[in-house]
Amino acid sequence: MTDARPRRADEATFIEAARSDDAERLAQLTERHRRELQVHCYRMLANYEDAQDMTQETFLRAWNKRESFRGNASLRTWLYRIATNACLDFLEKRNDRTPVTAELPGPGSEVRYLQPYPDQMLPMDPQDSVVARETIELAFIVAVQHLPPRQRAVFILRDVVGWPASRAAEALELTVASVTSALQRARVTMREQLPDRRLDWRSAATHELSNDERAVVKAYIDAHERNDLDGLMALLRDDLRFTMLPTPGTLIVTARNAVDGWVSNGLFQRGYDDWRCTTTTVNRMPTAALYLRTPDNPTYRLFNIAVLGIVDGRIAELTGFGAADKPWLNLPPTL
């Protein structure tokens, strides 16, 4: 891989450290890229824990291949190439990392291995397009999973990371024509999978929540704590898309069916009606952390998180995740 740029200090230092087997110095140089590489692996895999593993695999491969680095490409480019191929190797070995047909009439699919991404683990630079909301929100991550792995890699490297076709082709050992063709097919699939309102991943990057989003998540929390089903219904769009992961068969596409399902499963009934909630964000999306106090326990214990996709002041997408088994969300276990 080659970049049309002079060699920088990082590349020269990496080569020097590689020649002397200076593991500590090599680790310092690669570690600074950990967060963005982990986000890259997350887009490829849609699973936070898998992304952590593949980021670590990237650093292991980088150490083992250290003598092959010549500085013709930037260190960052070289690490992205290794990370991408580590993810492709992972996907080749797993048959449970593709969307499955949803258990409801009509078209639809579930990405049951989807996990939320904690915002505190995103790269620190708020201007970095690599972590723009448009390409980290759950709807985008889910849509990407509908691309075949190599096509997925092309799409992410070209339209998210912003690589030219020649660099992506070299990284994936493809021709430029193959990369161009794969990207065209990927864009068609993305437009089929994303709602019309979300076909903007190539627009200027945004990062912060809007005032409307902040107001809606606050209203959602207030209604939840009051067990106010009418209030919750008023916040939901009629065409709400709700799923509770990783539970199979929970994809629901109307607000009324979602609320009826919550009640029939015992939520807001005795024993599941004493809530306290806090506001947080995952995937740069407004999120409510839900804590439940039961009759046999005096403390409010972390139960679920509800990640909200808000459109025109109402909730269009609600994705629930069990939270008690996800310490990396960095939420207090009790309130």
Side-chain angles (χ1 to χ4, degrees):
M1 300 176 64
T2 58
D3 286 344
R5 43 178 293 287
R7 183 180 296 173
R8 297 183 306 179
D10 276 0
E11 285 74 58
T13 304
F14 186 91
I15 292 170
E16 181 182 351
R19 288 173 177 168
S20 61
D21 284 341
D22 187 343
E24 182 178 352
R25 186 60 178 144
L26 288 171
Q28 290 174 350
L29 291 166
T30 55
E31 183 66 27
R32 68 185 62 174
H33 299 282
R34 176 181 292 274
R35 290 194 175 198
E36 64 174 305
L37 289 170
Q38 188 164 298
V39 172
H40 178 61
C41 293
Y42 176 72
R43 286 197 183 93
M44 287 288 296
L45 305 175
N47 183 284
Y48 179 80
E49 292 169 311
D50 290 344
Q52 281 188 311
D53 290 345
M54 289 304 100
T55 303
Q56 203 58 39
E57 173 67 13
T58 297
F59 290 150
L60 177 61
R61 292 187 184 192
W63 167 257
N64 290 334
K65 297 178 179 180
R66 60 193 182 280
E67 294 183 357
S68 70
F69 182 73
R70 297 289 182 266
N72 297 322
S74 71
L75 179 59
R76 178 176 183 263
T77 293
W78 187 67
L79 291 171
Y80 263 89
R81 174 178 183 168
I82 295 173
T84 302
N85 284 288
C87 290
L88 290 173
D89 291 344
F90 172 87
L91 291 169
E92 186 177 355
K93 297 173 183 176
R94 299 291 293 263
N95 58 11
D96 62 342
R97 286 299 185 264
T98 56
V100 297
T101 303
E103 298 175 12
L104 78 169
S109 59
E110 296 178 286
V111 179
R112 294 178 186 169
Y113 52 91
L114 177 69
Q115 290 182 338
Y117 200 98
D119 281 12
Q120 70 267 19
M121 292 304 298
L122 293 170
M124 301 301 291
D125 184 357
Q127 302 304 315
D128 194 338
S129 62
V130 169
V131 289
R133 283 190 66 185
E134 290 75 12
T135 61
I136 198 67
E137 288 181 345
L138 291 178
F140 185 90
I141 298 298
V142 168
V144 168
Q145 299 306 297
H146 289 80
L147 302 175
R150 197 158 293 272
Q151 194 179 110
R152 187 184 312 174
V154 168
F155 174 78
I156 292 171
L157 291 175
R158 291 282 284 113
D159 271 8
V160 178
V161 184
W163 282 11
S166 57
R167 190 184 303 173
E170 194 168 0
L172 298 171
E173 297 183 349
L174 299 171
T175 66
V176 170
S178 296
V179 164
T180 301
S181 176
L183 179 61
Q184 291 172 345
R185 295 196 303 274
R187 287 174 177 170
V188 170
T189 300
M190 291 294 289
R191 289 188 170 90
E192 291 172 348
Q193 293 295 328
L194 284 170
D196 289 344
R197 60 183 176 271
R198 284 291 290 106
L199 299 180
D200 57 356
W201 72 84
R202 302 179 71 198
S203 63
T206 59
H207 299 278
E208 301 301 324
L209 301 184
S210 68
N211 290 333
D212 275 354
E213 288 173 316
R214 297 179 191 277
V216 170
V217 72
K218 181 179 184 303
Y220 175 87
I221 285 175
D222 290 344
H224 215 284
E225 291 183 340
R226 297 195 313 270
N227 291 279
D228 180 2
L229 294 178
D230 290 337
L232 283 174
M233 277 293 298
L235 292 170
L236 306 177
R237 284 172 59 114
D238 292 339
D239 60 348
L240 171 78
R241 181 183 175 92
F242 164 75
T243 190
M244 181 70 210
L245 292 168
T247 306
T250 57
L251 179 60
I252 297 173
V253 290
T254 71
R256 171 52 62 189
N257 287 343
V259 173
D260 289 348
W262 298 338
V263 173
S264 66
N265 285 312
L267 295 183
F268 307 107
Q269 308 299 307
R270 182 170 177 78
Y272 287 88
D273 60 350
D274 191 357
W275 301 95
R276 289 293 179 269
C277 310
T278 61
T279 302
T280 185
T281 57
V282 300
N283 294 75
R284 295 202 183 277
M285 300 177 70
T287 301
L290 311 178
Y291 291 76
L292 177 67
R293 184 169 67 177
T294 57
D296 59 349
N297 197 308
T299 60
Y300 290 93
R301 293 189 174 275
L302 183 60
F303 187 67
N304 289 333
I305 62 170
V307 187
L308 309 180
I310 297 169
V311 178
D312 297 330
R314 298 179 74 190
I315 300 170
E317 298 160 6
L318 196 164
T319 308
F321 297 94
D325 61 344
K326 297 177 177 59
W328 34 268
L329 289 174
N330 201 29
L331 293 168
T334 62
L335 289 180

